[in-house]
Structure formats: structure tokens, C-alpha cells
Amino acid sequence: METPTTALVTGATAGLGAEFARQLAQEGHHMVLVARDAARLQQIADELERDYSVSTEVLPADLTDDAGVAAVVGRLTDAARPVEVLVNNAGIGLLHSFEKNSLEDEKRHLRLHVQTPMELCHAALQGMLERRSGRIINVASVSAFANRGSYSAAKAWQVIFSRWANLAYGPRGVHVTALCPGFTHTEFHDRMGMDKSVAPHWMWLRADWVVRDGLADNARGKGVSIPTKRYKLVAAISRVLPARFTSGPPRRPKQ
């Protein structure tokens, strides 16, 4: 019988993060759950232990804060408790256009989507490369192939980095994948205060489908995972259309 491995998921209290935690626990991984809300983390941890008979750790941390990131880096580099799977899922959205957002909000957004995943990948890779075994999934977005301000720019970084890292480290036993979903039914857009009717019904995906596709593509060693044929087509078209046609539906607040 194989020894159970450990997976660490950021943004684990809701949406794709909670779904990653469930599916990885179902596969038999012990779980380290990271998010800001300690009470919600414990609720998810209790659910996983009850439903899948795995052990869990809760690690409350603000990943836009140096101390929070350092706590997660410390867990990832603990050689006595190796992490085999890292899912960089924590993220936020900004409802308004770049010039209307505060600079502090934009800096926090950039930190969470670029600097923090980079730091956590660097930390996780140390042990993974030594063991010649590991999996990293960076939750990006199909917006990475479009032109949607600083969000697209940050997600494009995740895609380019993940594609390169997979080529560099795949032969050494570590698969790195950028998961690029489109609109997905989670709390993400609700927390932004976005009116979700701006996107038609066919554009919305279920979180369990997105996670299942991402895990499968990562296991196959793919550097980029785009769930569903419809979004593969959207990404392909976005690459060849003039930039002015790939900004997507406008965001507007809920009424």
C-alpha cells in the first residue's frame, strides 16, 4: 500500500480551492489548508476528515502579507513533513478598471497573483526536486489569453511561468500546470460585487469539472490546462484576434 502524500491548497475555504481540497482528499492525500478565515478553514478540515478519513492541518494566513507568506513557505520547506502537491489557488478580482482602482488594491492584487505564487513555487520546488517527485497547479484564467487589464497581465505571468517550469522540471519528476478556467460558479465574482448576468449562461462552468480537468492534465504532465472545448476555442481565437476584440464582457456591479 502506498504511503499517503500531503497536498497544500491556498484559498481553500470556498470555490475552486475547496473543490481542490475535496478531490485531493478523495484521492487519499492528507491536506494542508491555507486561507485567512480560520473558522471556515476548520469547517472544511472537519468535513474532509469526516468524509475521506484523511488528516488535515489548518494554516490561517494572509497571502498578501509577508508574515503570512513566510508561514506557508515554512510549511512547504519542512523536510520532515514533505508536501507532494501544491495548488496556488488564492486570488481576488477587482471590479473597476485600472485607473479607477486604488494603487494599494492593485499592489495587493499583483502580490497575490504573481509574487506569492512565485515564492510558494520556489519553496515547494526545493524538496520536490530533491525527491524527484511533485505536482504544482497554479490557478490562472482563460483571461491570460485576452486583454483584461492587470488581471489578464497577472494570469499571463502564471501561464508563461508554469509552461516554462513544466518544461524545465517535468524531466526531473515535477509537473507544473497553469489551470485556465473561464467563468466558474464560485464565490469569486460575488466577492467582487460583479453582476454575473454580463456573461451568458453557456460561459459558466462548474467548479468540480474545472478541478477534475486540472488535476487530470497535471497528472498527464501538461503545462497548460484549459477546461472544456468551448474555452479551448475561446483561448485559440483570442490568440489571433486583434487586441481590441479580446477584452471580454464589461464588468459591472450588482444592482
Side-chain angles (χ1 to χ4, degrees):
M1 184 176 180
E2 292 186 3
T3 303
T5 55
T6 297
L8 186 149
V9 179
T10 69
T13 52
L16 292 177
E19 187 60 36
F20 266 112
R22 292 186 189 99
Q23 293 195 26
L24 286 165
Q26 190 172 31
E27 290 180 3
H29 299 278
H30 297 311
M31 299 301 306
V32 182
L33 307 173
V34 180
R36 290 180 300 171
D37 190 326
R40 292 187 71 184
L41 279 177
Q42 191 59 58
Q43 183 179 355
I44 294 291
D46 292 343
E47 174 192 319
L48 299 181
E49 291 183 359
R50 181 191 69 235
D51 294 346
Y52 305 110
S53 301
V54 297
S55 66
T56 62
E57 302 172 48
V58 297
L59 181 48
D62 181 349
L63 295 182
T64 65
D65 175 77
D66 288 345
V69 174
V72 183
V73 166
R75 180 61 184 86
L76 288 168
T77 54
D78 184 347
R81 299 181 296 160
V83 172
E84 181 72 11
V85 183
L86 167 63
V87 180
N88 280 313
N89 166 76
I92 54 175
L94 298 175
L95 182 61
H96 303 295
S97 58
F98 177 75
E99 80 283 0
K100 294 179 180 177
N101 294 322
S102 73
L103 181 57
E104 287 306 309
D105 282 346
E106 286 286 350
K107 288 166 65 176
R108 179 169 171 264
H109 178 270
L110 185 66
R111 172 69 189 265
L112 190 57
H113 289 284
V114 176
Q115 183 178 335
T116 293
M118 180 271 292
E119 292 184 50
L120 300 189
C121 284
H122 190 272
L125 279 166
Q126 308 309 308
M128 290 179 178
L129 291 173
E130 185 176 336
R131 297 187 301 271
R132 299 190 65 83
S133 176
R135 300 169 63 186
I136 297 175
I137 297 176
N138 294 314
V139 178
S141 169
V142 76
S143 292
F145 308 106
N147 295 282
R148 306 208 68 189
S150 55
Y151 184 78
S152 284
K155 293 305 184 179
W157 183 92
Q158 291 186 350
V159 169
I160 294 167
F161 175 81
S162 300
R163 186 186 288 122
W164 164 80
N166 194 54
L167 289 170
Y169 303 124
R172 299 170 64 182
V174 182
H175 297 312
V176 183
T177 303
L179 174 60
C180 301
F183 290 105
T184 305
H185 289 295
T186 67
E187 292 182 8
F188 180 81
H189 298 93
D190 294 325
R191 291 199 306 268
M192 285 174 62
M194 174 182 159
D195 179 359
K196 294 195 286 188
S197 68
V198 299
H201 176 74
W202 67 267
M203 294 184 74
W204 290 92
L205 306 177
R206 282 175 36 178
D208 56 335
W209 298 347
V210 170
V211 170
R212 191 172 298 113
D213 282 1
L215 288 171
D217 284 342
N218 178 257
R220 295 186 190 106
K222 296 183 67 173
V224 178
S225 172
I226 304 174
T228 74
K229 292 180 180 178
R230 77 194 81 161
Y231 273 109
K232 286 180 172 66
L233 180 61
V234 168
I237 292 172
S238 295
R239 291 185 179 103
V240 298
L241 281 176
R244 65 182 181 275
F245 295 121
T246 64
S247 61
R251 293 173 179 170
R252 62 172 181 248
K254 289 186 286 188
Q255 300 300 316

